[in-house]
């Protein structure tokens, strides 16, 4: 294996050396001249030639195989003045150029071909949506506080199961099967207990890539989807910040240079952000009626509570900081850290609290005399969660993890080769007591070693991107080879066909049971080292991993220069899923149960964008099934139909007004119907229990047809209205009036089986917020 890796690396190194010796290269970074922020997806081309590319998320570009001579390098980007600089290409040489663009009068509807369209024609990007902070802010937001947690459910193939304690599901994958990354670090619980808010600060986000399936071999360790969030570096030119407040939370962001960026030089900058919620205090004042929905079934059992007098008992605090060093040649080093906390306090019944802290570093090296770009990261995080219920049987889970990765990228004129290595290690500590008093616990440490190769080649209209990932799970002594393939064919300038597929695996298991509609306790375990069995049998499985196979086809079509249509049918085969056996009756029963599953459907999306209007329409048709060996059943997040419509309109002489609306409709989730009731005698006094006079607990007989019923359709309208007051070039005030659930739709959350009372999701929530930027 080591010899093979060495041979492949040497081949590409020698090949690139031979090619570059005959021609020359130019590479560099493109920055916003005012802030030093990188220009993402900007178009770079050599004037008078067909040689061109797009900048990446760091504003970096590389053009190779250029004949020696003098040229003009042209940079263009929507909303910025074009920039032209002179360059000299030397045979066998590498020229580095920093470019600084100024915002100008170029309007979106005047630009014939946007950088994003150029990127679509030159990259595979199947089942990939890039989300920008501007798009997140365009969404009507609860409390006027834009958050990625509220934007993700707008994307095709993504389902969110509730306003309070809901979970995020992506094309048939449960939360544990979706990896959420923050600057390369895995975030194990990215959403707060009140589902409107995540741990991420929108103002600090640079980009969000949502890969709903078929992702290439750069990513591993999950079998369904990836959400890759990258934060920006601090302002490299001046001190700036944001302060905001609304009925839900307050926040502050500060950023600025320690060493200012000068053209052609390096910089050092910082960014710090903090937010704290106080909805547990303000809800009793502004939303006392909302407390009527605070009925929960924490564990999926039949104990319920009603806390009508305590409002919405949620609170959280998020802190994040980053220090960035950028060298004159584009090399950079980022140091970052975070501390996230969440608490739910139902006094007298249950108290849940989790915390997550971590730190890390990532770097990019741009050697002056080498065609290779080197990247890497080192991270550490700790996540702990504890739930104490009235039965005094606490649940506890923790996961400590570290990651170290290194990757190498070679750029050609029409190709790119990238390979890398990664070491992951995590220790888990879990303790849980089920409804029969049986304790399930695990304390374990495991490591994962992985390597990948990815190659992208453009043949005229065809783009081919084969990749392979090698994953070794040390604790299970299991080696997984995972080939993947991406294809795109540019049939015309406006019509593109695409395909992606591959094999995926993961070791990590969640304590969240897919039967639970509401489960605030999110714990983690490593894959079982004990023997597990195929669904519904006593036959041993061939491995102890969760695995899946993806296949996705797609069509992209540009109806006009401003309207894009995307259609993607998909299929995911979950060949093995592993769950905690929460129905364990005696100590000798297995701790884990296996299932298989299928997720298939089709997603449609349409985007229209010009200077004043943004429209995003999606429709998803989906099936998500599981097979436990006894029956094939739909999961509790199997939403057959899902529609989203988002419209944002800016107007006024200086575009100082903005109106936005979002409407969502989804078919009802499945649930298991009640067949009857019985008296459940728990023999509290042992053999001395008098069963003739003692009143046992009310037990429930469930239908044999698992998840055979369906809840009513869900639909909700959110509205917002924004007024911007500009005081100077850098300071402005935004006043945001918003309404969540504008027509007060009573969307069902669940029905309490014992009392037969209906519990709805959150009612109408009007709010007023202010945001001051300077």
């Amino acid at each position: 294996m080591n010899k093979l890796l060495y041979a492949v690396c040497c081949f590409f190194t020698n090949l690139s050396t031979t090619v570059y010796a005959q021609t020359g290269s130019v590479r560099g970074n493109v920055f916003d001249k005012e802030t030093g922020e990188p220009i993402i997806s900007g178009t770079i081309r050599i004037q008078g030639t067909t040689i061109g590319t797009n900048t990446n998320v760091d504003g970096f570009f590389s053009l190779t195989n250029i004949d020696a001579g003098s040229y003009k390098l042209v940079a263009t980007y929507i909303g910025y003045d074009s920039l032209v600089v002179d360059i000299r290409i030397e045979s066998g040489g590498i020229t580095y150029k920093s470019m600084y663009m100024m915002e100008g009068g170029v309007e979106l509807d005047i630009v014939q071909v946007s950088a994003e369209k150029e990127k679509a024609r030159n990259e595979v990007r199947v089942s990939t949506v890039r989300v920008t902070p501007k798009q997140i802010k365009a969404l009507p937001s609860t409390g006027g506080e834009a958050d990625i947690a509220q934007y993700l459910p707008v994307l095709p193939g993504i389902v969110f199961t509730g306003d309070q304690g809901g979970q995020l599901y992506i094309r048939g994958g449960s939360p544990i099967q979706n990896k959420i990354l923050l600057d390369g670090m895995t975030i194990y619980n990215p959403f707060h207990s009140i589902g409107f808010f995540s741990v991420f600060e929108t103002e600090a986000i640079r980009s969000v890539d949502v890969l709903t399936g078929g992702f290439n071999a750069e990513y591993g360790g999950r079998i369904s989807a990836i959400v890759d969030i990258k934060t920006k570096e601090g302002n490299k030119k001046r001190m700036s910040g944001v302060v905001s407040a609304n009925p839900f939370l307050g926040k502050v962001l500060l950023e600025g240079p320690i060493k200012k960026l000068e053209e052609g030089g390096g910089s050092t900058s910082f960014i710090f952000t903090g937010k704290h919620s106080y909805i547990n205090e303000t809800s009793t004042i502004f939303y006392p009626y909302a407390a009527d929905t605070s009925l929960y079934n924490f564990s999926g059992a039949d104990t319920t509570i009603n806390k009508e007098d305590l409002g919405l008992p949620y609170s959280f605090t998020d802190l994040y900081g980053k220090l960035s060093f950028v060298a004159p040649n584009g090399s950079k080093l980022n140091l970052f850290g975070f501390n996230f906390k969440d608490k739910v306090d139902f006094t007298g019944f249950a108290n849940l609290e989790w915390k997550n802290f971590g730190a890390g570093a990532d770097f990019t090296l741009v050697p002056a005399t080498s065609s290779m770009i080197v990247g890497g990261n080192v991270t550490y995080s700790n996540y702990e969660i504890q739930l104490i219920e009235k039965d005094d049987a606490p649940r506890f889970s923790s996961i400590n993890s570290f990651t170290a990765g290194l990757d190498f990228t070679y750029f050609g004129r029409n190709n790119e080769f990238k390979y890398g290595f990664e070491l992951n290690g995590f220790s888990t500590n879990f303790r849980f007591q089920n409804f029969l008093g049986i304790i399930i616990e695990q304390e374990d440490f495991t490591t994962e070693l992985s390597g990948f190769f990815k190659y992208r080649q453009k043949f005229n209209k065809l783009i081919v991107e084969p990749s392979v990932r090698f994953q070794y799970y040390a604790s299970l002594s299991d080696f997984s080879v995972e080939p993947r393939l991406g294809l795109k064919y540019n049939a015309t300038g406006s019509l593109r066909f695409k395909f992606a597929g591959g094999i995926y695996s993961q070791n990590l298991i969640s304590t969240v049971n897919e039967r639970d509609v509401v489960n605030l306790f999110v714990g983690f375990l490593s894959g079982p080292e004990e023997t597990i069995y195929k669904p519904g049998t006593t036959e041993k499985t061939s491995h102890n991993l969760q695995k899946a196979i993806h296949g996705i086809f797609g069509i992209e079509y540009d109806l006009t220069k401003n309207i894009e249509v995307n259609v993607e049918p998909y299929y995911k085969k979950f060949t093995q899923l592993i769950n905690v056996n929460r129905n364990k009756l005696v100590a000798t029963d297995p701790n884990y149960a296996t299932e298989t599953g299928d997720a298939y459907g089709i997603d449609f999306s349409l985007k229209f964008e010009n200077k004043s209007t943004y429209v995003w329409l999606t429709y998803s048709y989906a099936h998500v099934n599981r097979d436990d060996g006894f029956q094939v059943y739909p999961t509790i997040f199997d939403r057959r139909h899902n529609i989203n419509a988002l419209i944002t309109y800016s107007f006024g002489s200086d575009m100082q007004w903005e109106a936005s609306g979002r409407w969502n409709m989804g078919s009802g989730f499945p649930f298991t119907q009640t067949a009857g009731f019985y008296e459940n005698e728990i023999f509290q006094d042992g053999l001395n229990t008098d069963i003739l006079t003692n009143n046992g607990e009310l037990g429930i007989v469930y239908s044999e047809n698992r998840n055979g019923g369906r809840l009513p359709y869900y639909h909700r309208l959110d509205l917002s209205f924004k007024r911007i007051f500009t005081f100077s070039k850098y300071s402005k005030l935004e006043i945001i009036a918003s309404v969540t659930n504008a027509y007060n739709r009573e969307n069902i959350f669940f029905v309490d089986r014992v009392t037969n009372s209906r519990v709805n999701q959150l009612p109408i929530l009007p709010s007023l917020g202010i945001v001051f930027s300077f």
Side-chain angles (χ1 to χ4, degrees):
M1 179 66 187
N2 291 334
K3 292 181 179 179
L4 174 62
L5 293 176
Y6 177 77
V8 173
C9 295
C10 288
F11 170 77
F12 280 97
T13 302
N14 293 333
L15 176 63
S16 63
T17 301
T18 301
V19 172
Y20 284 106
Q22 300 168 356
T23 58
S25 305
V26 60
R27 63 192 183 196
N29 290 79
V30 185
F31 301 102
D32 182 302
K33 194 169 185 176
E34 284 289 331
T35 66
E37 266 294 289
I39 300 295
I40 303 173
S41 297
T43 300
I44 308 297
R45 58 186 175 86
I46 303 291
Q47 194 174 75
T49 73
T50 59
I51 302 172
T53 188
N54 296 104
T55 58
N56 66 9
V57 70
D58 295 315
F60 179 80
F61 68 90
S62 179
L63 298 172
T64 61
N65 300 351
I66 306 170
D67 292 334
S70 298
Y71 298 92
K72 291 188 181 297
L73 188 65
V74 182
T76 57
Y77 187 67
I78 296 169
Y80 285 74
D81 292 330
S82 297
L83 180 63
V84 182
V85 297
D86 294 319
I87 58 171
R88 174 72 186 176
I89 303 297
E90 301 290 345
S91 181
I94 300 175
T95 301
Y96 180 83
K97 199 72 178 179
S98 294
M99 305 178 74
Y100 301 85
M101 302 185 70
M102 289 285 294
E103 288 193 56
V106 180
E107 296 178 356
L108 181 62
D109 52 355
I110 298 175
V111 178
Q112 294 300 314
V113 180
S114 73
E116 281 300 319
K117 285 188 173 62
E118 278 296 305
K119 207 170 187 67
R121 295 180 183 127
N122 290 284
E123 295 185 5
V124 176
R125 296 182 71 82
V126 181
S127 295
T128 300
V129 178
R130 171 158 289 177
V131 180
T132 65
K134 178 182 176 182
Q135 292 170 331
I136 298 173
K137 294 176 185 178
L139 187 74
S141 50
T142 301
E145 187 63 41
D147 196 285
I148 187 65
Q150 300 174 51
Y151 192 89
L152 286 175
V154 176
L155 302 180
I158 296 182
V159 171
F160 201 70
T161 56
D163 303 329
Q164 305 170 83
Q167 301 288 327
L168 192 74
Y169 300 88
I170 303 179
R171 280 187 176 172
S174 60
I176 187 58
Q177 294 153 11
N178 308 317
K179 178 179 279 190
I180 312 294
L181 296 170
L182 176 64
D183 293 328
M185 178 187 294
T186 301
I187 302 299
Y188 293 98
N189 194 354
F191 305 109
H192 288 295
S193 298
I194 183 167
F196 294 127
F197 304 106
S198 71
V199 299
F200 311 112
E201 172 48 52
T202 302
E203 300 288 348
I205 290 175
R206 173 174 290 170
S207 67
V208 181
D209 284 332
V210 183
L211 299 85
T212 56
F215 43 92
N216 65 48
E218 282 189 69
Y219 298 99
R222 294 296 187 275
I223 60 175
S224 184
I226 303 290
V227 179
D228 191 358
I229 300 173
K230 290 183 170 61
T231 59
K232 68 179 184 178
E233 293 140 12
N235 194 313
K236 302 179 182 70
K237 292 294 191 75
R238 61 180 182 84
M239 289 295 299
S240 61
V242 177
V243 179
S244 71
N246 58 66
F248 289 80
L249 60 87
K251 75 174 184 183
V252 60
L253 179 146
L254 294 173
E255 58 178 323
I258 298 173
K259 176 188 174 184
K260 286 187 178 182
L261 175 66
E262 303 292 342
E263 292 194 19
S267 69
T268 303
S269 62
F270 77 93
I271 184 170
F272 172 81
T273 179
K275 60 183 176 184
H276 177 72
S277 75
Y278 35 72
I279 186 64
N280 55 326
E281 304 291 341
T282 58
S283 60
T284 57
I285 301 172
F286 298 113
Y287 313 114
Y289 54 89
D292 293 341
T293 61
S294 294
L295 279 164
Y296 283 92
N297 183 339
F298 275 86
S299 61
D302 305 311
T303 305
T304 61
I305 60 172
N306 189 352
K307 308 300 293 183
E308 296 183 356
D309 300 324
L310 295 182
L312 300 174
Y314 306 98
S315 62
F316 60 83
T317 302
D318 299 327
L319 302 175
Y320 178 84
K322 184 175 183 178
L323 188 63
S324 302
F325 306 86
V326 179
N329 71 337
S331 297
K332 67 174 185 176
L333 169 67
N334 294 310
L335 306 175
F336 55 88
F338 64 84
N339 192 342
F340 307 139
K341 296 180 180 180
D342 185 278
K343 186 175 182 179
V344 184
D345 186 8
F346 290 102
T347 304
F349 179 82
N351 179 283
L352 178 136
E353 188 171 357
W354 64 257
K355 56 185 178 181
N356 190 9
F357 66 87
D362 63 71
F363 64 88
T364 301
L365 296 179
V366 185
T369 59
S370 172
S371 59
M372 176 179 66
I373 307 300
V374 183
N377 71 317
V378 180
T379 68
Y380 169 80
S381 70
N382 173 272
Y383 170 82
E384 292 184 359
I385 185 170
Q386 178 167 283
L387 172 64
I388 300 176
E389 297 182 89
K390 68 176 182 180
D391 58 6
D392 294 324
R395 300 187 220 173
F396 174 82
S397 177
S398 69
I399 179 168
N400 293 276
S401 67
F402 70 86
T403 300
L406 194 62
D407 60 73
F408 307 85
T409 306
Y410 296 87
F411 295 94
R413 179 177 295 185
N414 292 309
N415 54 62
E416 178 183 317
F417 174 66
K418 185 174 186 178
Y419 66 94
F421 311 93
E422 190 174 71
L423 169 65
N424 290 308
F426 57 85
S427 62
T428 56
N429 186 0
F430 172 73
R431 182 180 174 87
F432 167 77
Q433 181 175 309
N434 71 5
F435 65 98
L436 290 175
I438 303 296
I439 294 176
I440 302 172
E441 57 185 338
Q442 181 201 74
E443 189 170 354
D444 201 4
F445 176 79
T446 186
T447 56
E448 301 175 2
L449 301 172
S450 60
F452 73 89
F453 295 97
K454 184 187 77 169
Y455 181 72
R456 179 172 59 87
Q457 177 70 54
K458 185 175 182 181
F459 302 97
N460 194 11
K461 293 184 176 183
L462 177 65
I463 305 170
V464 182
E465 188 180 88
S467 62
V468 61
R469 189 174 185 90
F470 306 96
Q471 195 94 15
Y472 178 68
Y473 299 92
S475 64
L476 304 177
S477 298
D478 204 320
F479 184 72
S480 179
V481 180
E482 303 169 8
R484 302 170 192 180
L485 177 65
L487 300 170
K488 177 168 282 186
Y489 179 70
N490 293 283
T492 68
S494 58
L495 177 63
R496 300 173 290 278
F497 298 95
K498 54 188 178 179
F499 167 82
I503 298 174
Y504 305 86
S505 69
Q506 78 175 70
N507 181 25
L508 201 63
I509 298 172
S510 173
T511 62
V512 173
N513 193 300
E514 293 182 0
R515 296 187 184 187
D516 295 343
V517 177
V518 184
N519 196 321
L520 299 178
F521 182 81
V522 181
F524 299 94
L525 304 90
S526 61
E529 298 178 26
E530 64 190 63
T531 300
I532 58 175
Y533 302 93
K534 293 183 178 180
T537 73
T538 56
E539 181 183 353
K540 296 179 181 179
T541 61
S542 59
H543 60 84
N544 284 25
L545 295 172
Q546 300 188 83
K547 289 194 173 183
I549 302 171
H550 296 186
I552 301 163
F553 174 75
I555 301 174
E556 298 173 359
Y557 184 60
D558 302 327
L559 286 175
T560 70
K561 64 184 180 183
N562 299 116
I563 302 177
E564 304 171 13
V565 176
N566 188 72
V567 181
E568 286 188 357
Y570 65 89
Y571 177 73
K572 294 180 180 179
K573 175 65 177 178
F574 299 100
T575 56
Q576 181 163 287
L577 300 172
I578 304 173
N579 300 312
V580 175
N581 182 14
R582 298 201 309 176
N583 294 320
K584 183 174 181 175
L585 300 178
V586 295
T588 56
D589 283 348
N591 289 323
Y592 303 92
T594 64
E595 294 181 318
T596 60
D598 298 278
Y600 56 92
I602 186 168
D603 292 329
F604 300 86
S605 65
L606 181 148
K607 183 172 75 172
F608 169 82
E609 188 173 9
N610 64 18
K611 180 183 178 182
S612 60
T613 307
Y614 178 80
V615 179
W616 175 253
L617 306 174
T618 69
Y619 168 71
S620 296
Y621 176 81
H623 285 261
V624 186
N625 300 319
R626 297 286 187 261
D627 183 352
D628 61 5
F630 301 99
Q631 63 176 304
V632 177
Y633 65 94
T635 65
I636 56 97
F637 53 91
D638 177 40
R639 173 160 277 173
R640 189 73 67 245
H641 306 280
N642 198 34
I643 299 172
N644 275 287
L646 168 63
I647 301 175
T648 300
Y649 179 66
S650 301
F651 57 97
S653 57
D654 297 316
M655 294 295 177
Q656 69 270 34
W657 297 92
E658 182 182 281
S660 182
R662 179 242 179 164
W663 184 72
N664 172 228
M665 184 181 74
S667 54
F669 290 122
F671 71 100
T672 301
Q673 295 168 306
T674 302
F677 299 92
Y678 68 96
E679 184 178 353
N680 181 28
E681 180 56 69
I682 61 174
F683 293 93
Q684 187 172 358
D685 297 326
L687 295 177
N688 295 323
T689 301
D690 188 347
I691 61 174
L692 297 178
T693 60
N694 187 58
N695 291 321
E697 296 180 352
L698 183 64
I700 299 174
V701 179
Y702 294 93
S703 169
E704 293 182 357
N705 186 15
R706 185 170 173 181
N707 290 343
R710 289 270 174 177
L711 297 174
Y713 265 69
Y714 169 98
H715 54 89
R716 193 181 88 189
L717 175 67
D718 299 339
L719 300 171
S720 71
F721 198 67
K722 181 192 298 184
R723 175 64 161 93
I724 303 173
F725 298 91
T726 302
F727 305 120
S728 67
K729 183 178 181 180
Y730 299 120
S731 62
K732 65 179 180 179
L733 176 69
E734 299 177 5
I735 299 179
I736 307 165
S738 65
V739 181
T740 301
N741 195 5
Y743 51 77
N744 202 26
R745 161 73 175 179
E746 293 186 345
N747 289 303
I748 189 171
F749 207 175
F750 60 90
V751 175
D752 181 81
R753 299 177 188 272
V754 176
T755 63
N756 197 34
S757 58
R758 168 173 168 157
V759 180
N760 291 325
Q761 300 197 45
L762 290 174
I764 183 172
L765 296 174
S767 64
L768 187 68
I770 58 171
V771 180
F772 179 66
S773 305
F774 58 92

